[in-house]
Amino acid sequence: MSDSHQQNYQRFLDEVTANRVMWGLRFGEEWVVCDSSEFEDTEVMPVWSRESEAKTQCIDEWAEYVPFEITLPEFLEIWVEDMSEDGVRIGPNWDAELDGVEQDVLELVKALA
């Protein structure tokens, strides 16, 4: 993991713990997910600790998407189980090139605890 990816990941943990919110990209009922660059046949849902960072991704094929708030309690109560069952990983604070840490959702929960 590069230093910048590690820094983005740590900032995600710090800011989500402090603010109790994260941001995904949504259009209607559809959420942005990407193919994993690390694992075959695996999807990753990018999320950001700042709305402004999520908004910068709303271009090109995601121009109709908007940042959508996911509270930490909602994430823990609803999202974690579904993502874990579906084998979807999480991409906290991915950079502008949609690159960064691909974290197992249960490992992320441990890191946020």
Side-chain angles (χ1 to χ4, degrees):
M1 173 182 335
S2 76
D3 286 345
S4 66
H5 292 166
Q6 181 59 42
Q7 290 170 354
N8 286 345
Y9 177 62
Q10 188 58 54
R11 184 171 53 80
F12 178 87
L13 296 176
D14 294 343
E15 291 178 350
V16 170
T17 300
N19 301 325
R20 305 193 50 82
V21 66
M22 63 186 76
W23 299 86
L25 298 181
R26 184 171 142 177
F27 176 66
E29 294 300 312
E30 186 177 318
W31 292 87
V32 165
V33 291
C34 305
D35 290 334
S36 171
S37 62
E38 296 179 31
F39 303 95
E40 200 171 310
D41 299 322
T42 301
E43 291 183 322
V44 182
M45 180 180 172
V47 291
W48 294 269
S49 56
R50 298 177 185 168
E51 181 182 16
S52 60
E53 290 178 350
K55 191 165 185 61
T56 63
Q57 300 295 335
C58 298
I59 57 173
D60 300 328
E61 73 264 26
W62 296 341
E64 294 184 357
Y65 286 75
V66 294
F68 197 87
E69 181 181 88
I70 304 167
T71 66
L72 185 56
E74 176 187 359
F75 178 75
L76 296 173
E77 292 169 19
I78 299 169
W79 288 78
V80 170
E81 184 176 348
D82 289 345
M83 289 179 77
S84 182
E85 286 176 1
D86 293 342
V88 176
R89 298 178 73 80
I90 197 153
N93 278 357
W94 276 6
D95 62 22
E97 288 76 42
L98 291 175
D99 193 23
V101 174
E102 293 184 13
Q103 184 76 47
D104 177 86
V105 71
L106 296 178
E107 292 299 317
L108 179 70
V109 170
K110 290 178 190 174
L112 287 169

